[in-house]
Coordinates of all heavy atoms in Angstrom, one line a residue:
M148 N -28.3 6.4 -28.0 CA -28.3 6.5 -26.5 C -27.9 5.1 -25.9 O -28.4 4.1 -26.4 CB -29.7 6.9 -26.0 CG -30.0 8.4 -26.3 SD -28.9 9.4 -25.2 CE -29.7 11.0 -25.5
I149 N -27.2 5.1 -24.9 CA -26.8 3.9 -24.1 C -27.3 4.0 -22.7 O -27.3 5.1 -22.1 CB -25.3 3.7 -24.1 CG1 -24.8 3.8 -25.6 CG2 -24.9 2.4 -23.5 CD1 -23.3 4.0 -25.7
V150 N -27.8 2.9 -22.2 CA -28.3 2.9 -20.8 C -27.0 2.9 -19.8 O -26.2 2.0 -19.9 CB -29.1 1.7 -20.5 CG1 -29.6 1.6 -19.1 CG2 -30.4 1.7 -21.4
C151 N -27.0 3.8 -18.9 CA -25.9 3.9 -18.0 C -26.0 2.7 -17.0 O -27.1 2.4 -16.5 CB -26.1 5.2 -17.2 SG -24.9 5.3 -15.8
D152 N -24.9 2.1 -16.7 CA -24.9 0.9 -15.9 C -25.1 1.3 -14.4 O -25.4 0.4 -13.6 CB -23.5 0.2 -16.0 CG -23.5 -0.7 -17.3 OD1 -24.6 -1.2 -17.7 OD2 -22.4 -0.8 -17.9
L153 N -24.9 2.5 -14.1 CA -25.0 2.9 -12.7 C -26.4 3.5 -12.3 O -27.0 3.1 -11.4 CB -23.9 4.0 -12.4 CG -22.5 3.4 -12.4 CD1 -21.5 4.5 -12.0 CD2 -22.3 2.2 -11.5
C154 N -26.9 4.4 -13.1 CA -28.1 5.0 -12.8 C -29.3 4.4 -13.6 O -30.5 4.7 -13.3 CB -28.1 6.5 -12.9 SG -27.8 7.1 -14.6
G155 N -29.0 3.7 -14.7 CA -30.0 3.0 -15.4 C -30.8 3.9 -16.4 O -31.8 3.6 -16.9
Q156 N -30.3 5.1 -16.6 CA -31.0 6.1 -17.5 C -30.3 6.1 -18.8 O -29.1 5.9 -18.9 CB -30.9 7.5 -16.9 CG -31.8 7.6 -15.7 CD -31.7 9.0 -15.1 OE1 -31.7 10.0 -15.8 NE2 -31.6 9.1 -13.8
S157 N -31.1 6.3 -19.9 CA -30.6 6.4 -21.2 C -29.9 7.7 -21.4 O -30.6 8.7 -21.5 CB -31.7 6.1 -22.2 OG -32.1 4.8 -22.1
K158 N -28.6 7.7 -21.5 CA -27.9 8.9 -21.7 C -26.7 8.7 -22.6 O -26.4 7.6 -23.0 CB -27.3 9.5 -20.4 CG -28.4 9.9 -19.4 CD -27.8 10.5 -18.2 CE -28.8 11.0 -17.2 NZ -28.3 11.5 -16.0
D159 N -26.0 9.7 -23.0 CA -24.8 9.6 -23.6 C -23.7 9.1 -22.6 O -23.4 9.8 -21.7 CB -24.3 10.9 -24.2 CG -25.0 11.2 -25.6 OD1 -25.3 10.3 -26.3 OD2 -25.3 12.4 -25.8
C160 N -23.3 7.8 -22.8 CA -22.4 7.2 -21.8 C -21.0 7.1 -22.4 O -20.7 7.0 -23.5 CB -23.0 5.9 -21.5 SG -24.5 5.9 -20.5
L161 N -20.1 7.1 -21.4 CA -18.7 6.9 -21.7 C -18.5 5.4 -21.3 O -19.0 4.9 -20.4 CB -17.8 7.8 -20.8 CG -18.1 9.3 -20.8 CD1 -17.6 9.9 -19.6 CD2 -17.5 9.9 -22.1
Q162 N -17.6 4.8 -22.2 CA -17.3 3.4 -21.9 C -16.0 3.5 -21.0 O -15.0 4.0 -21.4 CB -17.0 2.7 -23.2 CG -17.3 1.2 -23.1 CD -17.2 0.5 -24.4 OE1 -16.2 0.5 -25.1 NE2 -18.3 -0.1 -24.9
K163 N -16.2 2.9 -19.8 CA -15.0 3.0 -18.9 C -14.7 1.6 -18.4 O -15.6 0.7 -18.2 CB -15.4 3.8 -17.6 CG -15.7 5.3 -18.0 CD -14.4 6.0 -18.2 CE -14.6 7.4 -18.5 NZ -13.4 8.2 -18.9
E164 N -13.4 1.3 -18.2 CA -13.0 0.0 -17.8 C -12.7 0.1 -16.3 O -11.8 0.9 -15.9 CB -11.8 -0.5 -18.6 CG -11.6 -2.0 -18.4 CD -10.4 -2.5 -19.1 OE1 -10.3 -2.3 -20.3 OE2 -9.5 -3.1 -18.5
I165 N -13.4 -0.6 -15.4 CA -13.1 -0.6 -14.0 C -12.9 -2.0 -13.6 O -13.8 -2.9 -13.7 CB -14.3 0.1 -13.3 CG1 -14.5 1.5 -13.8 CG2 -14.0 0.1 -11.7 CD1 -15.9 2.0 -13.4
A166 N -11.8 -2.2 -12.9 CA -11.4 -3.6 -12.4 C -11.6 -4.7 -13.5 O -12.1 -5.7 -13.2 CB -12.2 -3.9 -11.2
G167 N -11.2 -4.4 -14.7 CA -11.2 -5.4 -15.7 C -12.5 -5.6 -16.4 O -12.7 -6.4 -17.3
K168 N -13.5 -4.8 -16.0 CA -14.9 -4.9 -16.6 C -15.2 -3.6 -17.3 O -14.8 -2.5 -16.8 CB -15.9 -5.3 -15.6 CG -15.8 -6.7 -15.1 CD -16.9 -7.0 -14.1 CE -16.8 -8.4 -13.6 NZ -17.8 -8.7 -12.5
E169 N -16.0 -3.7 -18.4 CA -16.3 -2.5 -19.1 C -17.7 -2.0 -18.6 O -18.6 -2.8 -18.5 CB -16.3 -2.7 -20.6 CG -14.9 -2.7 -21.1 CD -14.9 -2.7 -22.7 OE1 -15.9 -2.9 -23.3 OE2 -13.8 -2.5 -23.2
Y170 N -17.9 -0.8 -18.4 CA -19.1 -0.2 -18.0 C -19.5 1.0 -18.9 O -18.6 1.7 -19.4 CB -19.0 0.3 -16.6 CG -18.8 -0.7 -15.5 CD1 -17.5 -1.2 -15.2 CD2 -19.9 -1.3 -14.9 CE1 -17.3 -2.1 -14.2 CE2 -19.7 -2.3 -13.9 CZ -18.4 -2.7 -13.6 OH -18.2 -3.7 -12.6
D171 N -20.8 1.1 -19.1 CA -21.3 2.3 -19.8 C -21.7 3.3 -18.7 O -22.7 3.0 -17.9 CB -22.4 2.0 -20.7 CG -22.0 1.1 -21.8 OD1 -20.9 1.4 -22.4 OD2 -22.6 0.1 -22.1
I172 N -21.0 4.4 -18.5 CA -21.3 5.3 -17.5 C -21.6 6.7 -18.0 O -20.8 7.2 -18.8 CB -20.1 5.3 -16.5 CG1 -19.9 3.9 -15.9 CG2 -20.4 6.3 -15.3 CD1 -18.6 3.7 -15.1
C173 N -22.7 7.3 -17.6 CA -22.9 8.7 -18.0 C -22.0 9.6 -17.4 O -21.4 9.3 -16.3 CB -24.4 9.0 -17.8 SG -24.8 9.3 -16.0
F174 N -22.0 10.8 -17.9 CA -21.0 11.8 -17.4 C -21.2 12.1 -15.9 O -20.2 12.2 -15.1 CB -21.1 13.1 -18.2 CG -20.1 14.1 -17.8 CD1 -18.7 13.9 -18.2 CD2 -20.4 15.2 -17.1 CE1 -17.8 14.9 -17.8 CE2 -19.5 16.2 -16.7 CZ -18.2 16.0 -17.0
E175 N -22.5 12.2 -15.5 CA -22.8 12.5 -14.1 C -22.3 11.4 -13.2 O -21.7 11.7 -12.2 CB -24.3 12.7 -13.9 CG -24.8 14.0 -14.4 CD -26.3 14.0 -14.6 OE1 -27.0 13.5 -13.7 OE2 -26.8 14.4 -15.6
C176 N -22.6 10.1 -13.5 CA -22.2 9.1 -12.7 C -20.6 9.0 -12.7 O -20.1 8.7 -11.6 CB -22.8 7.7 -13.2 SG -24.5 7.6 -12.8
W177 N -20.0 9.2 -13.8 CA -18.6 9.1 -13.9 C -17.9 10.2 -13.0 O -16.9 9.9 -12.3 CB -18.1 9.3 -15.3 CG -16.6 9.2 -15.4 CD1 -15.8 10.3 -15.7 CD2 -15.7 8.1 -15.1 NE1 -14.5 9.9 -15.7 CE2 -14.4 8.5 -15.2 CE3 -16.0 6.8 -14.6 CZ2 -13.3 7.7 -15.0 CZ3 -14.9 6.0 -14.4 CH2 -13.6 6.4 -14.6
T178 N -18.5 11.3 -13.0 CA -18.0 12.4 -12.1 C -18.1 12.0 -10.6 O -17.1 12.2 -9.9 CB -18.8 13.7 -12.3 OG1 -18.8 14.0 -13.7 CG2 -18.2 14.9 -11.6
L179 N -19.2 11.5 -10.3 CA -19.4 11.0 -8.9 C -18.4 9.9 -8.5 O -17.8 9.9 -7.5 CB -20.8 10.5 -8.7 CG -21.9 11.5 -8.6 CD1 -23.3 10.8 -8.6 CD2 -21.8 12.4 -7.4
L180 N -18.2 9.0 -9.5 CA -17.4 7.8 -9.3 C -15.9 8.3 -9.2 O -15.2 7.9 -8.3 CB -17.5 6.9 -10.5 CG -17.1 5.4 -10.2 CD1 -18.0 4.8 -9.2 CD2 -17.1 4.7 -11.5
A181 N -15.6 9.3 -10.0 CA -14.2 9.8 -10.0 C -13.9 10.4 -8.7 O -12.8 10.3 -8.1 CB -14.0 10.8 -11.1
E182 N -14.9 11.1 -8.1 CA -14.7 11.8 -6.8 C -14.5 10.8 -5.7 O -13.7 10.9 -4.8 CB -15.9 12.6 -6.5 CG -15.8 14.0 -7.0 CD -17.1 14.9 -6.8 OE1 -17.7 14.6 -5.8 OE2 -17.3 15.7 -7.6
K183 N -15.3 9.6 -5.8 CA -15.2 8.6 -4.8 C -13.8 8.0 -4.9 O -13.1 7.7 -3.9 CB -16.2 7.5 -5.1 CG -17.6 7.8 -4.4 CD -18.5 6.7 -4.6 CE -19.9 7.0 -4.2 NZ -20.9 5.9 -4.5
L184 N -13.3 7.7 -6.1 CA -12.1 7.1 -6.3 C -10.9 8.0 -5.8 O -10.0 7.5 -5.2 CB -11.9 6.8 -7.8 CG -12.7 5.6 -8.4 CD1 -12.5 5.5 -9.9 CD2 -12.4 4.3 -7.7
K185 N -11.1 9.2 -6.1 CA -10.1 10.2 -5.6 C -10.0 10.1 -4.0 O -8.9 10.1 -3.5 CB -10.6 11.6 -6.0 CG -9.7 12.3 -6.9 CD -10.1 13.8 -7.0 CE -9.5 14.5 -8.2 NZ -10.1 15.8 -8.4
G186 N -11.2 10.1 -3.4 CA -11.2 10.0 -1.9 C -10.5 8.8 -1.5 O -9.7 8.8 -0.5
K187 N -10.7 7.7 -2.1 CA -10.1 6.4 -1.7 C -8.6 6.5 -1.9 O -7.9 6.1 -1.0 CB -10.6 5.3 -2.6 CG -11.8 4.5 -2.1 CD -12.2 3.3 -3.0 CE -13.5 2.7 -2.6 NZ -13.9 1.7 -3.5
G188 N -8.2 7.1 -3.0 CA -6.8 7.3 -3.3 C -6.1 8.0 -2.1 O -5.0 7.6 -1.7
R189 N -6.7 9.1 -1.7 CA -6.1 9.9 -0.6 C -6.0 9.0 0.6 O -5.0 9.1 1.3 CB -7.0 11.1 -0.4 CG -6.5 12.3 -1.1 CD -7.2 13.6 -0.7 NE -7.7 14.3 -1.8 CZ -9.0 14.6 -2.1 NH1 -9.9 14.2 -1.3 NH2 -9.3 15.2 -3.2
A190 N -7.1 8.3 1.0 CA -7.0 7.5 2.2 C -5.9 6.5 2.1 O -5.2 6.3 3.1 CB -8.4 6.8 2.4
K191 N -5.8 5.9 1.0 CA -4.7 4.9 0.8 C -3.3 5.5 1.0 O -2.5 4.9 1.6 CB -4.8 4.2 -0.6 CG -4.2 2.9 -0.7 CD -4.4 2.2 -2.0 CE -3.8 0.9 -2.1 NZ -3.8 0.2 -3.4
N192 N -3.2 6.7 0.4 CA -1.9 7.3 0.5 C -1.6 7.6 2.0 O -0.4 7.4 2.5 CB -1.9 8.7 -0.2 CG -1.8 8.5 -1.7 OD1 -1.3 7.4 -2.1 ND2 -2.1 9.5 -2.5
R193 N -2.6 8.0 2.8 CA -2.4 8.2 4.2 C -2.0 7.0 4.9 O -1.1 7.0 5.7 CB -3.7 8.8 4.8 CG -3.5 10.1 5.5 CD -4.8 10.6 6.0 NE -5.4 11.6 5.1 CZ -6.8 11.7 5.0 NH1 -7.6 10.9 5.6 NH2 -7.3 12.6 4.2
E194 N -2.6 5.9 4.5 CA -2.3 4.6 5.1 C -0.8 4.2 4.8 O -0.1 3.8 5.7 CB -3.2 3.5 4.5 CG -4.1 2.8 5.5 CD -5.1 1.9 4.8 OE1 -4.6 0.9 4.2 OE2 -6.3 2.2 4.8
A195 N -0.5 4.4 3.6 CA 0.9 4.1 3.2 C 1.9 4.8 4.0 O 3.0 4.2 4.3 CB 1.1 4.5 1.7
I196 N 1.6 6.0 4.4 CA 2.6 6.7 5.2 C 2.7 6.1 6.6 O 3.8 5.9 7.1 CB 2.2 8.2 5.4 CG1 2.3 9.0 4.1 CG2 3.0 8.9 6.5 CD1 1.5 10.2 4.0
F197 N 1.6 5.6 7.2 CA 1.7 5.0 8.5 C 2.3 3.6 8.4 O 2.9 3.1 9.3 CB 0.2 4.8 9.0 CG -0.3 6.1 9.6 CD1 -1.4 6.7 9.1 CD2 0.4 6.7 10.6 CE1 -1.9 7.9 9.6 CE2 -0.1 7.9 11.2 CZ -1.2 8.5 10.6
L198 N 2.2 3.0 7.2 CA 2.8 1.6 7.0 C 4.3 1.7 7.0 O 5.0 0.7 7.2 CB 2.2 1.0 5.8 CG 0.8 0.4 6.0 CD1 0.3 -0.1 4.6 CD2 0.8 -0.8 6.9
H199 N 4.8 2.8 6.6 CA 6.3 2.9 6.4 C 6.8 4.0 7.4 O 7.3 5.0 6.9 CB 6.7 3.1 5.0 CG 6.1 2.2 4.1 ND1 6.6 0.8 4.0 CD2 5.1 2.2 3.2 CE1 5.9 0.2 3.1 NE2 5.0 1.0 2.6
P200 N 6.7 3.8 8.7 CA 7.2 4.8 9.6 C 8.7 4.9 9.6 O 9.4 5.9 9.8 CB 6.7 4.4 10.9 CG 6.4 3.0 10.8 CD 6.3 2.6 9.4
R201 N 9.4 3.8 9.4 CA 10.9 3.8 9.3 C 11.3 2.5 8.5 O 10.5 1.6 8.4 CB 11.4 3.7 10.8 CG 11.0 2.4 11.5 CD 11.8 2.1 12.7 NE 11.2 2.6 13.9 CZ 11.6 2.2 15.1 NH1 12.7 1.5 15.3 NH2 11.0 2.7 16.2
P202 N 12.5 2.5 8.1 CA 12.9 1.4 7.2 C 12.9 0.1 8.1 O 13.3 0.1 9.2 CB 14.4 1.8 6.8 CG 14.8 2.9 7.6 CD 13.5 3.6 8.1
I203 N 12.5 -1.0 7.4 CA 12.4 -2.3 8.2 C 13.8 -3.0 8.3 O 14.0 -3.9 9.0 CB 11.4 -3.2 7.5 CG1 10.1 -2.4 7.2 CG2 11.1 -4.4 8.3 CD1 9.3 -3.0 6.1
R204 N 14.8 -2.4 7.5 CA 16.1 -3.0 7.4 C 16.9 -3.1 8.7 O 17.8 -3.8 8.8 CB 16.9 -2.3 6.3 CG 16.5 -2.6 4.9 CD 17.6 -3.3 4.2 NE 17.1 -4.3 3.2 CZ 17.8 -5.4 2.9 NH1 18.9 -5.7 3.4 NH2 17.3 -6.2 2.0
E205 N 16.5 -2.2 9.6 CA 17.3 -1.9 10.8 C 17.9 -3.2 11.5 O 19.1 -3.2 11.7 CB 16.4 -1.3 11.9 CG 17.1 -0.3 12.7 CD 16.2 0.5 13.6 OE1 15.6 1.4 13.1 OE2 16.1 0.2 14.8
R206 N 17.1 -4.2 11.6 CA 17.6 -5.4 12.2 C 18.7 -6.1 11.4 O 19.6 -6.8 12.0 CB 16.5 -6.4 12.5 CG 15.8 -6.1 13.8 CD 14.7 -7.1 14.2 NE 14.3 -6.8 15.5 CZ 14.8 -7.4 16.6 NH1 15.9 -8.2 16.5 NH2 14.4 -7.1 17.8
D207 N 18.5 -6.1 10.1 CA 19.5 -6.7 9.2 C 20.9 -6.1 9.4 O 21.9 -6.8 9.1 CB 19.1 -6.7 7.8 CG 17.8 -7.5 7.6 OD1 17.6 -8.3 8.4 OD2 17.1 -7.2 6.5
E208 N 21.0 -4.9 9.8 CA 22.2 -4.2 9.8 C 22.9 -4.3 11.2 O 24.0 -3.7 11.4 CB 22.0 -2.7 9.5 CG 21.8 -2.5 8.0 CD 21.2 -1.2 7.6 OE1 21.3 -0.3 8.4 OE2 20.6 -1.1 6.5
E209 N 22.4 -5.1 12.1 CA 23.1 -5.3 13.4 C 24.4 -6.0 13.1 O 24.5 -6.9 12.3 CB 22.2 -6.2 14.3 CG 21.3 -5.3 15.2 CD 20.4 -6.2 16.0 OE1 20.8 -7.3 16.3 OE2 19.3 -5.7 16.4
P210 N 25.5 -5.6 13.8 CA 26.7 -6.3 13.6 C 26.7 -7.8 14.0 O 26.2 -8.1 15.1 CB 27.7 -5.5 14.5 CG 26.9 -4.8 15.5 CD 25.5 -4.6 14.8
E211 N 27.1 -8.6 13.1 CA 27.1 -10.1 13.4 C 28.3 -10.5 14.2 O 29.4 -9.8 14.0 CB 27.0 -10.9 12.1 CG 25.6 -10.8 11.5 CD 25.6 -11.5 10.2 OE1 26.4 -12.5 10.0 OE2 24.7 -11.2 9.3
P212 N 28.3 -11.5 15.0 CA 29.5 -11.9 15.7 C 30.5 -12.5 14.7 O 30.1 -13.2 13.8 CB 29.1 -13.0 16.7 CG 27.7 -13.4 16.2 CD 27.1 -12.2 15.5
H213 N 31.8 -12.2 14.9 CA 32.7 -12.8 13.9 C 32.9 -14.2 14.0 O 33.2 -14.7 15.1 CB 34.1 -12.1 14.1 CG 34.1 -10.6 13.8 ND1 34.1 -10.1 12.6 CD2 33.9 -9.6 14.7 CE1 34.0 -8.7 12.7 NE2 33.9 -8.4 14.0
P214 N 32.7 -15.0 12.9 CA 32.7 -16.4 13.0 C 34.1 -17.0 13.3 O 34.3 -18.0 13.8 CB 32.1 -16.9 11.7 CG 32.4 -15.7 10.8 CD 32.4 -14.5 11.6
G215 N 35.1 -16.3 12.9 CA 36.5 -16.7 13.0 C 37.0 -16.6 14.5 O 38.0 -17.4 14.9
E216 N 36.5 -15.8 15.3 CA 37.0 -15.6 16.7 C 36.5 -16.7 17.6 O 35.4 -17.3 17.5 CB 36.4 -14.3 17.2 CG 37.3 -13.1 16.8 CD 36.7 -11.8 17.4 OE1 35.9 -11.9 18.3 OE2 37.1 -10.7 16.8
P217 N 37.4 -17.2 18.5 CA 37.0 -18.2 19.4 C 36.0 -17.6 20.4 O 36.1 -16.5 20.7 CB 38.3 -18.6 20.2 CG 39.2 -17.3 20.0 CD 38.8 -16.7 18.7
P218 N 35.1 -18.5 20.9 CA 34.1 -18.0 21.8 C 34.8 -17.6 23.1 O 35.7 -18.2 23.6 CB 33.2 -19.2 22.0 CG 34.0 -20.4 21.6 CD 35.0 -19.9 20.6
K219 N 34.3 -16.5 23.7 CA 34.9 -16.0 25.0 C 34.4 -16.9 26.1 O 33.3 -17.2 26.3 CB 34.4 -14.6 25.2 CG 35.2 -13.5 24.4 CD 34.6 -12.1 24.7 CE 35.3 -11.1 23.8 NZ 34.7 -9.8 24.0
I220 N 35.4 -17.3 26.9 CA 35.1 -18.1 28.1 C 35.1 -17.2 29.3 O 36.0 -16.4 29.6 CB 36.1 -19.3 28.3 CG1 36.1 -20.1 27.1 CG2 35.8 -20.0 29.6 CD1 37.5 -20.9 26.8
Q221 N 34.0 -17.2 30.0 CA 33.8 -16.3 31.1 C 34.3 -17.0 32.4 O 34.2 -18.2 32.6 CB 32.4 -16.0 31.2 CG 31.8 -15.3 30.0 CD 31.0 -14.0 30.2 OE1 30.5 -13.8 31.3 NE2 31.0 -13.2 29.3
G222 N 34.9 -16.2 33.3 CA 35.2 -16.7 34.6 C 36.6 -17.4 34.6 O 36.8 -18.3 35.5
T223 N 37.5 -17.2 33.6 CA 38.8 -17.9 33.6 C 39.7 -17.5 34.7 O 40.6 -18.2 35.1 CB 39.5 -17.6 32.3 OG1 39.3 -16.2 31.9 CG2 38.9 -18.5 31.1
D224 N 39.5 -16.2 35.3 CA 40.3 -15.7 36.3 C 40.1 -16.5 37.6 O 40.8 -16.3 38.6 CB 40.2 -14.3 36.5 CG 38.8 -13.8 36.7 OD1 37.9 -14.6 36.4 OD2 38.5 -12.7 37.2
R225 N 39.1 -17.3 37.7 CA 38.7 -18.0 39.0 C 39.4 -19.4 39.0 O 39.3 -20.1 40.0 CB 37.2 -18.2 39.0 CG 36.5 -16.9 39.4 CD 35.1 -17.2 39.9 NE 34.4 -16.0 40.2 CZ 33.2 -15.9 40.7 NH1 32.5 -17.1 40.8 NH2 32.6 -14.8 40.9
V226 N 40.2 -19.7 37.9 CA 40.8 -21.0 37.9 C 41.9 -21.1 38.9 O 42.1 -22.2 39.6 CB 41.4 -21.3 36.5 CG1 42.3 -22.5 36.5 CG2 40.4 -21.4 35.4
H227 N 42.7 -20.0 39.2 CA 43.7 -20.1 40.1 C 43.3 -20.2 41.6 O 42.8 -19.3 42.2 CB 44.7 -18.9 40.0 CG 45.3 -18.9 38.6 ND1 46.2 -19.8 38.2 CD2 45.0 -18.2 37.5 CE1 46.5 -19.6 36.9 NE2 45.8 -18.6 36.5
Ligands
LIG455 ZN1 -25.5 7.4 -14.8

């Protein structure tokens, strides 16, 4: 028997790695944890959709002024 890291009861525990650490977690606690993680995952997915409403590239694709063309001078018709 191994003591569960979550509920502290001596049960048959599963060894699970969470965030780089190993835990002994009984089946009941693991089920609860898995449900919580599932819920988090869903929330994150929803966030991700809001974070990418449209491509960010839009501004990069604006036509740039041609560097070879001379700058337009305004009001030349008023010289005469
Ligand atoms: Zn437990």
Side-chain angles (χ1 to χ4, degrees):
M148 286 292 190
I149 305 162
V150 177
C151 170
D152 282 328
L153 292 184
C154 62
Q156 289 178 44
S157 294
K158 290 183 180 182
D159 279 324
C160 290
L161 307 160
Q162 210 172 58
K163 296 286 181 186
E164 198 182 305
I165 302 163
K168 289 179 180 177
E169 280 187 352
Y170 294 87
D171 296 315
I172 300 170
C173 70
F174 183 74
E175 283 165 45
C176 287
W177 177 247
T178 308
L179 286 171
L180 202 68
E182 271 175 33
K183 276 185 191 174
L184 291 175
K185 245 191 198 175
K187 269 187 188 174
R189 262 187 231 122
K191 201 176 181 185
N192 283 343
R193 238 178 259 144
E194 245 173 63
I196 291 163
F197 283 119
L198 281 172
H199 304 288
R201 62 164 99 165
I203 311 158
R204 283 246 150 209
E205 213 170 282
R206 273 187 173 270
D207 293 340
E208 282 161 19
E209 266 177 30
E211 285 176 27
H213 297 278
E216 278 181 15
K219 279 180 187 173
I220 301 154
Q221 301 228 337
T223 43
D224 53 344
R225 285 196 183 182
V226 171
H227 299 287

